[in-house]
Each structure stands twice: as C-alpha cells, then as structure tokens.
Amino acid sequence: MKIGELATKTGCDVETIRYYEKSGILAAPARKANGYREYQIHHQERLQFIRHCRSLQMSLADIRILLDLQSNPAAGCQNVDDLLDLHIVEIQARVKMLLNLEQQLLTLRNQCSGPHSTRDCGILQNLNVPTDEHGCVCHDKLQ
C-alpha cells in the first residue's frame, strides 16, 4: 500500500509517518521501481501500536523501549510493567499539577464578580503582581 493508504487506514498524517520512519520507530518500506514506498501489513500494525501508545501520552523513547521488548516475545514482561508504572507516576504528577493550576485559576476567577470597568477588574489587578513575590491571590493560598 502507498503512504496515503497507510495514513487513511491508521488515521495518521503522512508527515507523521515519515517522521516515525526518520526516528527509526517505523521501518522504512521497500520502494517500487517507480520510487513509491510500498508499505506492508506489518507497517500498519506497527503504526497502530505507535499511535495507541501516543494516545496514552507515551514518549517516543518509551515507545522505542516497548517495541524492543515486544521484539523478544519469550522474555518476561517485568520491564513493560516497570515502564508503565513509571508512566503512571508521571501522569499522576501531571494531574496533581493540573489540579493545582485549576485551583489557582478558580481563585483568580473569583476576584472579579460582576460588571465593572477593566480598571477595577480583580483578575487584571492580580495578574499585575509578580508571582515570585506571592502577593497575588492565586499563589498565596496554594504555597
């Protein structure tokens, strides 16, 4: 199949497919006599694996590790478990950071309640306070 067909079947942009080839996580296909790339079903399967991993916010480095582990089907899966456990910890840290950010924004949003001029807007006034001084309402309560 040509690259456009592979892109359609996997929902992946053509440029992304080429990027994955350049990065080495998707093997470059053989070329036909006319110079077109000729992708096989194993390219589609690999690309679907990569896309699934990316949908889980896995880095290309982690995907490369998983692909290496997958290429040795007789090996134990402890390394896969360890990689996923580490990824879960990273996601939990990001969730915590995002929840903190949400609270900061909600606190900031509560500084302006009602129609008045921007001169009197509590949000804009607080955004003028440098965060390193922690004098704004959105950083005081969360430190």
Side-chain angles (χ1 to χ4, degrees):
M1 76 186 93
K2 292 181 183 176
I3 195 167
E5 184 180 351
L6 179 64
T8 300
K9 286 185 175 186
T10 60
C12 189
D13 292 335
V14 169
E15 291 304 315
T16 304
I17 294 170
R18 290 183 179 137
Y19 174 77
Y20 290 156
E21 286 177 23
K22 288 177 189 170
S23 69
I25 62 172
L26 182 65
R31 291 191 180 259
K32 289 182 161 185
N34 61 8
Y36 287 117
R37 294 173 171 98
E38 181 62 29
Y39 292 92
Q40 305 299 320
I41 191 70
H42 66 90
H43 291 102
Q44 181 179 336
E45 291 167 351
R46 168 74 59 106
L47 189 53
Q48 287 168 332
F49 181 92
I50 294 166
R51 299 237 332 127
H52 196 156
C53 291
R54 293 295 295 144
S55 76
L56 297 169
Q57 300 294 303
M58 292 184 184
S59 69
L60 292 183
D62 285 348
I63 295 169
R64 186 172 281 111
I65 291 167
L66 290 173
L67 289 168
D68 288 343
L69 293 168
Q70 186 183 45
S71 70
N72 188 1
C77 66
Q78 185 61 48
N79 290 335
V80 176
D81 295 343
D82 292 345
L83 188 142
L84 206 59
D85 288 342
L86 180 60
H87 188 60
I88 290 168
V89 169
E90 291 169 356
I91 295 298
Q92 289 169 335
R94 284 172 44 197
V95 167
K96 184 178 178 181
M97 184 218 40
L98 288 171
L99 289 171
N100 187 33
L101 176 59
E102 177 188 35
Q103 190 57 51
Q104 288 175 307
L105 291 169
L106 289 170
T107 300
L108 185 60
R109 176 60 185 94
N110 288 331
Q111 299 307 300
C112 188
S113 58
H116 44 71
S117 70
T118 56
R119 176 180 54 246
D120 298 323
C121 178
I123 294 171
L124 293 175
Q125 290 170 5
N126 273 281
L127 289 173
N128 278 322
V129 177
T131 59
D132 58 345
E133 293 177 11
H134 302 293
C136 64
V137 295
C138 57
H139 286 89
D140 279 345
K141 296 179 182 178
L142 299 171
Q143 298 299 325

